[in-house]
């Protein structure tokens, strides 16, 4: 029932607080007017029955355009103009000061300050006061202008009592809606404030990491170049420095690439192009490049992917994820170690495994491994990163309706698992992707991230 009512008046943030209040007013006005049509006929006041029919039609029309066409301000004005005109008619044909119209005028004032834009307050409030005092003065100066329409005191009592009950019920619904809407808006504001605080903390964390971690490798590159320029070195020394220089450059490029893609994902949004991919073929170039990188460190990278394994994923994002995971494995595996990349199919799911026999992840860091809380750490040869790699892996995996998990034992090694669906039809019951609308992701196949 609550869900139906929320849908009837509109849900935030698509509908503003004023719009939801106005929709409540229109709904209750329509139902109240509809009931009053029959009451006024029973009381022998056919003119007022016609007025109530017009109120019902106007309230229904305003509700339709406000709720479904989302045209608010124009129909607030229409509602206020028509209601004031009809209240004047109601005052004349419903016994003037002896009827319940003044109560309705007071309620109209309450509605005015509830729904009209703030800059229009004084106009509508002044109009309400002018109309009421004009009618009172006119009735006082010309007593015959307004005649009693009640057949007896009982009819007057019923009409006044019924109007009072309707107005109390009306005020209850409107004020309840206002309070609920206020609390909803307050929760949204608190949620947005918390999100902004998290983003600000992430930004500060990121900048502090960058200030330290990018300066160090760039300084190393500068020092290597100065040594090569200022000193005469034999070939073995030059070769050693060049290798160190290459490693430092590769690590710095990886840091910057991850930073750029993370920033793009946060600000511009990414488009995910899901398709059926052959895992071995898609990762072929990535594994070839990283075999050379691993070999330079004395690590063996083993490709155990089968030729017939397919998944539903974005090729560019999948390559980026696997690149980061292999880079991490190389970083935390000592010379002489081994990294294997394999895949298995279990039911409707396919898992890609990146396994190493490196340092493993400390137990106290495992719960925060996919966030910036852990920060960057040194590899077995003092390789350094900004701690964005695994954060990117998680975000990009989830964008593809996938899942990333891991198991790690300090001193033994780490295995990361990437789970994806193997066929499109198996994704029908899954929740839709929550993807920001933005520019298409760049083609990463030809872009080295090492």
């Amino acid at each position: 029932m609550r869900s139906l009512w929320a849908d009837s008046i509109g849900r935030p943030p698509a509908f503003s607080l004023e719009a939801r209040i106005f929709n409540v007013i229109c709904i209750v006005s329509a139902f109240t007017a509809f009931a009053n049509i029959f009451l006024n006929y029973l009381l022998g006041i056919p003119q007022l029955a016609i007025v109530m029919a017009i109120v019902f039609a106007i309230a229904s029309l305003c509700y339709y355009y406000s709720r479904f066409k989302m045209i608010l301000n124009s129909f607030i004005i229409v509602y206020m103009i028509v209601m004031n005109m009809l209240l004047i008619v109601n005052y004349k044909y419903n016994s003037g000061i002896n009827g319940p119209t003044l109560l309705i005028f007071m309620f109209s004032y309450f509605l005015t300050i509830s729904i009209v834009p703030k800059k229009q307050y004084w106009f509508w409030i002044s109009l309400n006061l002018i109309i009421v005092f004009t009618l009172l003065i006119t009735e006082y100066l010309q007593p015959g202008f307004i005649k009693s329409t009640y057949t007896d005191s009982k009819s007057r009592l019923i009409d006044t009592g019924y109007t009072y009950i309707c107005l109390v019920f009306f005020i209850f619904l409107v004020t309840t809606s206002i309070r609920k809407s206020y609390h909803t808006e307050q929760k949204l504001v608190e949620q947005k404030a918390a999100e902004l605080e998290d983003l600000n903390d992430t930004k500060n964390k990121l900048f502090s990491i960058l200030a330290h971690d990018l300066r160090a490798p760039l300084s190393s590159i500068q020092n290597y170049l100065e040594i090569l320029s200022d000193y005469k070195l034999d070939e073995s020394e030059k070769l050693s420095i060049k290798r160190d220089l290459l490693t430092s450059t590769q690590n710095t490029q990886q840091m910057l690439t991850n930073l750029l893609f993370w920033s793009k994902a946060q600000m511009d949004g990414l488009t995910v192009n899901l398709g059926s991919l052959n895992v071995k073929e898609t990762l072929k170039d990535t594994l070839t490049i990283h075999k050379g990188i691993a070999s330079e460190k004395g690590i063996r990278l083993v490709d155990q992917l089968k030729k017939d394994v397919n998944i539903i994923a974005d090729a560019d994002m999948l390559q980026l994820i696997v690149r980061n995971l292999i880079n991490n494995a190389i970083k935390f595996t000592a010379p002489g170690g081994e990294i294997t990349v394999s895949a298995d199919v279990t039911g409707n799911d396919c898992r890609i495994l990146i396994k190493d026999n490196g340092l493993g992840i400390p137990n106290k860091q495992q719960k925060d491994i996919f966030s910036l809380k852990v920060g960057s750490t040194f590899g077995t040869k003092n390789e350094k990163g900004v701690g964005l790699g695994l954060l990117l892996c998680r975000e990009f995996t989830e964008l593809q309706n996938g899942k990333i998990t891991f198991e790690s034992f300090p001193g033994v090694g780490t295995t990361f698992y990437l789970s994806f669906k193997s066929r499109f039809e198996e994704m029908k019951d899954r929740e839709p992707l929550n993807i920001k609308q933005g520019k298409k992701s760049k083609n990463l196949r030809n872009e080295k991230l090492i």
Side-chain angles (χ1 to χ4, degrees):
M1 190 67 180
R2 289 182 179 179
S3 179
L4 179 62
W5 177 251
D7 288 333
S8 299
I9 66 174
R11 295 180 181 271
F15 290 84
S16 66
L17 176 61
E18 291 80 7
R20 299 197 298 275
I21 294 171
F22 182 62
N23 291 339
V24 170
I25 291 170
C26 289
I27 292 172
V28 181
S29 295
F31 276 105
T32 305
F34 185 77
N36 271 296
I37 293 173
F38 301 100
L39 177 66
N40 285 303
Y41 266 117
L42 292 174
L43 293 175
I45 316 174
Q47 301 94 329
L48 293 184
I50 295 172
V51 170
M52 291 300 106
I54 296 173
V55 171
F56 172 76
I58 296 298
S60 301
L61 182 69
C62 289
Y63 171 74
Y64 171 76
Y65 276 96
S66 172
R67 173 63 182 83
F68 298 103
K69 298 296 183 180
M70 302 185 80
I71 305 174
L72 178 64
N73 290 336
S74 298
F75 280 88
I76 287 179
I77 294 173
V78 170
Y79 182 89
M80 296 303 298
I81 291 174
V82 173
M83 290 304 152
N84 278 292
M85 292 174 61
L86 292 176
L87 284 174
I88 294 172
V89 175
N90 190 77
Y91 188 87
K92 174 175 173 55
Y93 290 101
N94 201 14
S95 305
I97 196 171
N98 295 312
T101 309
L102 283 182
L103 287 175
I104 303 175
F105 266 115
M106 186 177 294
F107 178 69
S108 175
Y109 171 82
F110 167 71
L111 294 186
T112 299
I113 61 176
S114 299
I115 62 174
V116 298
K118 190 174 182 180
K119 61 183 179 181
Q120 297 180 17
Y121 272 10
W122 290 111
F123 171 78
W124 292 109
I125 292 171
S126 300
L127 181 64
N128 182 282
L129 293 173
I130 290 170
I131 291 173
V132 169
F133 281 103
T134 300
L135 290 173
L136 290 173
I137 293 171
T138 301
E139 185 176 9
Y140 176 75
L141 296 177
Q142 299 182 9
F145 177 69
I146 296 174
K147 296 180 180 179
S148 177
T149 55
Y150 296 114
T151 55
D152 52 36
S153 58
K154 181 180 178 181
S155 297
R156 179 173 178 269
L157 180 65
I158 292 173
D159 189 29
T160 303
Y162 176 77
T163 301
Y164 176 79
I165 292 171
C166 287
L167 292 181
V168 167
F169 178 66
F170 210 142
I171 291 172
F172 168 76
L173 286 180
V174 173
T175 52
T176 302
S177 178
I178 290 173
R179 290 186 64 177
K180 286 184 177 179
S181 297
Y182 168 75
H183 290 306
T184 301
E185 295 285 338
Q186 188 178 35
K187 287 181 180 178
L188 287 174
V189 170
E190 290 174 354
Q191 181 181 348
K192 289 180 180 179
E195 290 174 356
L196 286 174
E197 186 175 354
D198 289 341
L199 286 174
N200 191 54
D201 290 343
T202 300
K203 179 202 71 175
N204 293 336
K205 173 87 171 176
L206 187 60
F207 282 152
S208 65
I209 292 172
L210 288 174
H212 177 268
D213 291 355
L214 279 183
R215 183 167 46 192
L218 291 175
S219 297
S220 298
I221 293 171
Q222 181 181 348
N223 291 336
Y224 289 143
L225 292 175
E226 287 176 353
I227 291 172
L228 289 173
S229 175
D230 296 340
Y231 297 94
K232 290 183 179 181
L233 304 173
D234 57 38
E235 288 303 317
S236 62
E237 290 174 326
K238 286 183 179 180
L239 181 59
S240 176
I241 289 177
K242 286 179 181 178
R243 285 176 178 171
D244 290 339
L245 182 60
L246 176 60
T247 301
S248 184
T249 305
Q250 288 171 342
N251 290 335
T252 305
Q253 186 177 6
Q254 179 68 43
M255 284 190 243
L256 289 173
T257 300
N258 283 338
L259 174 62
L260 289 172
F261 277 105
W262 181 80
S263 300
K264 179 178 175 63
Q266 297 300 312
M267 294 185 294
D268 295 338
L270 292 169
T271 300
V272 181
N273 299 309
L274 295 179
S276 181
L277 305 176
N278 181 275
V279 176
K280 189 173 184 67
E281 189 63 29
T282 303
L283 299 178
K284 179 180 177 181
D285 292 342
T286 301
L287 296 179
T288 300
I289 292 170
H290 282 77
K291 279 182 180 180
I293 299 171
S295 179
E296 288 178 5
K297 192 176 175 181
I299 298 170
R300 185 166 172 255
L301 177 58
V302 182
D303 177 4
Q304 294 183 349
L305 294 171
K306 298 176 182 179
K307 294 182 179 180
D308 58 346
V309 176
N310 295 287
I311 62 172
I312 303 303
D314 181 301
D316 299 332
M317 286 189 174
L318 179 64
Q319 290 177 17
L320 176 66
I321 293 165
V322 173
R323 270 195 285 263
N324 271 290
L325 293 177
I326 294 177
N327 278 334
N328 264 12
I330 294 172
K331 177 179 173 183
F332 294 107
T333 302
E338 183 176 277
I339 301 168
T340 59
V341 180
S342 60
D344 59 37
V345 178
T346 306
N348 300 321
D349 293 314
C350 173
R351 292 192 313 171
I352 300 172
L353 292 78
I354 295 92
K355 182 179 180 181
D356 66 63
N357 56 0
L359 299 178
I361 303 169
N363 292 326
K364 64 180 181 179
Q365 293 183 2
Q366 291 189 13
K367 63 185 176 120
D368 298 320
I369 199 67
F370 293 113
S371 70
L372 282 177
K373 293 180 181 179
V374 174
S376 57
T377 51
F378 288 99
T380 56
K381 279 197 171 183
N382 291 322
E383 303 98 327
K384 196 76 161 107
V386 294
L388 274 175
L390 290 177
L391 178 62
L392 275 176
C393 289
R394 185 197 66 184
E395 291 186 357
F396 282 15
T397 301
E398 291 176 354
L399 279 175
Q400 300 172 82
N401 266 330
K403 184 178 180 182
I404 182 170
T405 56
F406 73 95
E407 59 180 4
S408 183
F409 303 95
V412 178
T414 303
T415 303
F416 278 91
Y417 302 93
L418 298 171
S419 299
F420 298 95
K421 288 299 177 183
S422 57
R423 294 191 299 272
F424 270 112
E425 53 266 27
E426 304 301 339
M427 301 176 66
K428 288 181 180 178
D429 297 330
R430 300 194 67 161
E431 293 183 0
L433 295 178
N434 182 19
I435 304 171
K436 299 177 185 178
Q437 298 300 316
K439 300 177 182 177
K440 276 195 174 184
S441 56
K442 295 166 70 175
N443 190 333
L444 309 183
R445 291 189 180 90
N446 299 321
E447 183 175 347
K448 289 187 179 181
L449 300 183
I450 59 173

